[in-house]
Amino acid sequence: MTTSDTAHHDKNRVLRTRDDAEGYVASVCFKHGPPRLAGVELEWLVHQAATPAAPLDPTMLRTALGPYAPTSLDPGSPARALPGGSLVTVEPGGQVELASPPLAPFGTLVRTVIADSTVLHDRLAAHGLAVSPSAADAVRPARRVLDLPRYRAMEHRFDRIGAWGRSGMCSTAAVQVCLDAGEKAEIGRRWDAVHALGPVLIAAFANSPVLHGRRTGWKSSRLAAWLALDPQRTAPPPPSSGDPAAAWARRVLDTELLCVRRADGRWDAPPGVTFAAWIRGDAALPGPPTVADLEYHISTLFPPVRPRGHLEIRYVDAQPGRRWALPAAVLAAVLSDAEVRDRARDACEPALGRWISAARYGLADRVLQRSAVTVFELALSALAPLEAPSWLVGELTVALERGVRRGLCPADRVRPAPGPPAAGSTAHTGGTSPAGPADVPEEARA
């Protein structure tokens, strides 16, 4: 985010070799520069305020968003930015997303996003719509609102894999934090740090124990769904090879195509075909792929951290009200200082790789809980230079003292949903893991 891409790449340039494609991915996905800016992408599940269990009416949503509606929902919309510069998008199930501009210092980002989200939520409320405080739809079955070729192709692919795809697409919401990739010499350390922090922050902010009408057995049903819906596309990476750009480029080329854009609107990709196979000509696809095709393919990978020039950190559940600022503050503070970052990374060492345990048990996993205490303490020690508002420092302190130190996350305060599962629900709701066996030993939870 700190360095603008001044090179005007020819989007129609044909990619004829794997090396050419990997070189392009590595060059555009990790931009070098001083780590200064931060941004957020906030998603909210939207429902009718008077009847939360009713299906969302896209016409009602389009009217509520008015001139801020994205063209995916209203092709004739001017798609204006909110007063602070944030853009509004809509996810497949009608989730509304606010994407902030990159800003510094962090306190400016918080104030800007709160003002923009207030405008957005006031518009929704004026038209009888409300946003959920949870990261998963506790009442309604998964239902796709946007009928676009991309989402039809996603749905078809995910349906072939299992039952979690529609839930992940249509019934979940996240806090995504965007930070600069950093100076070239530091990128590997920052990449390792944001992944080491992943299980700890997932556990600390897990906020989706109820999905489609019943408790799933997971503190973060949202992450459980995403890890299971298409693992090659959503799984965290293996331990760093020391060159995250090269490793990411290989992963992009070796991931199967989710969709192939065609003029007739039929975007389904042939099963089992990777982008590398398309370059080799091993599949019956239109022509060799172009740079534009590669960029679109990158947009169909959804790992916990996605490099997009900056680092798009995608693993935290949506939070109620202004509490989205808490996980954003922890990440921004810890990553703002190299010494603090490295101490946080060391504190997370015992919890490395505990993604599934974090989603299932939250801070009841005592390994994660002990790491979280240190991470929160380090974040609070580093917040002052970021000019965070005093209320945020106060709420983060309360979250540490009344939540993290006690082994509690937001999911532990969610009351059970009344009544049976919503009609038509197909998501997993039992105690078996959708993403592999639970990886927390009994003694770690003692």
Side-chain angles (χ1 to χ4, degrees):
M1 295 192 317
T2 50
T3 357
S4 61
D5 186 12
T6 54
H8 295 284
H9 297 285
D10 181 0
K11 305 298 185 185
N12 295 318
R13 179 169 66 86
V14 172
L15 297 167
R16 301 193 181 279
T17 69
R18 180 181 179 116
D19 286 347
D20 187 16
E22 286 190 3
Y24 180 80
V25 172
S27 72
V28 300
C29 289
F30 290 86
K31 301 295 184 185
H32 309 149
R36 188 174 65 87
L37 299 175
V40 291
E41 298 174 18
L42 307 179
E43 298 171 347
W44 295 278
L45 293 155
V46 179
H47 59 265
Q48 293 184 38
T51 52
L56 181 63
D57 180 353
T59 302
M60 193 175 183
L61 181 60
R62 183 166 56 245
T63 302
L65 295 178
Y68 306 114
T71 55
S72 60
L73 182 68
D74 179 3
S77 172
R80 294 178 189 163
L82 291 161
S86 303
L87 296 175
V88 178
T89 57
V90 173
E91 296 297 306
Q95 307 98 310
V96 171
E97 179 181 294
L98 177 155
S100 80
L103 295 168
F106 180 75
T108 298
L109 172 71
V110 172
R111 287 183 284 272
T112 300
V113 172
I114 286 178
D116 276 355
S117 61
T118 299
V119 172
L120 178 59
H121 293 175
D122 285 352
R123 288 194 66 94
L124 294 172
H127 290 81
L129 297 174
V131 299
S132 171
S134 176
D137 196 317
V139 180
R140 298 173 298 186
R143 174 177 174 266
R144 186 161 53 84
V145 169
L146 294 184
D147 186 26
L148 300 175
R150 173 186 174 97
Y151 298 137
R152 287 197 297 270
M154 288 175 66
E155 190 172 84
H156 294 163
R157 175 178 172 84
F158 296 159
D159 282 351
R160 293 198 300 269
I161 296 171
W164 285 91
R166 297 192 184 204
S167 294
M169 286 176 62
C170 302
S171 301
T172 66
V175 171
Q176 299 177 15
V177 182
C178 300
L179 300 172
D180 287 320
E183 300 282 11
K184 186 174 184 179
E186 292 288 304
I187 283 179
R189 293 186 181 91
R190 287 172 68 82
W191 180 256
D192 288 349
V194 296
H195 284 88
L197 287 161
V200 172
L201 296 187
I202 290 163
F205 293 104
N207 186 37
S208 49
V210 182
L211 176 66
H212 305 323
R214 66 168 61 163
R215 286 187 175 270
T216 64
W218 295 78
K219 298 293 178 71
S220 176
S221 303
R222 180 197 66 85
L223 188 66
W226 278 96
L227 289 177
L229 62 82
D230 191 350
Q232 66 167 291
R233 199 171 301 280
T234 63
S240 174
S241 64
D243 186 352
W248 173 247
R250 289 193 296 271
R251 177 173 181 173
V252 167
L253 271 290
D254 291 334
T255 297
E256 292 178 17
L257 299 171
L258 185 149
C259 55
V260 178
R261 293 175 293 178
R262 299 180 179 89
D264 63 3
R266 300 176 63 184
W267 289 18
D268 286 39
V273 176
T274 65
F275 198 91
W278 192 2
I279 292 175
R280 294 193 304 266
D282 293 351
L285 291 172
T290 64
V291 166
D293 293 320
L294 178 56
E295 290 185 345
Y296 198 85
H297 174 62
I298 293 170
S299 78
T300 69
L301 276 70
F302 312 106
V305 182
R306 182 166 63 181
R308 299 181 60 191
H310 56 277
L311 303 180
E312 181 186 78
I313 301 163
R314 305 170 52 87
Y315 46 63
V316 178
D317 275 5
Q319 303 294 301
R322 63 185 184 180
R323 292 179 67 85
W324 61 266
L326 274 62
V330 172
L331 283 161
V334 167
L335 273 292
S336 68
D337 178 274
E339 181 181 352
V340 173
R341 177 201 67 207
D342 291 344
R343 288 171 64 190
R345 167 64 176 76
D346 292 343
C348 294
E349 180 76 27
L352 289 179
R354 299 174 87 88
W355 301 89
I356 295 171
S357 181
R360 183 183 280 279
Y361 300 109
L363 293 180
D365 178 332
R366 298 309 180 195
V367 176
L368 290 164
Q369 186 261 344
R370 288 190 290 269
S371 295
V373 169
T374 303
V375 167
F376 273 61
E377 291 173 342
L378 287 168
L380 283 164
S381 74
L383 262 182
L386 277 61
E387 301 180 20
S390 58
W391 68 262
L392 175 51
V393 179
E395 289 199 18
L396 193 59
T397 302
V398 170
L400 169 61
E401 299 301 331
R402 298 184 185 176
V404 175
R405 291 196 195 278
R406 298 179 182 182
L408 300 174
C409 64
D412 295 313
R413 297 180 173 89
V414 175
R415 290 178 295 180
S425 173
T426 57
H428 293 279
T429 53
T432 55
S433 166
D439 62 350
V440 55
E442 194 66 35
E443 59 270 19
R445 303 197 298 274

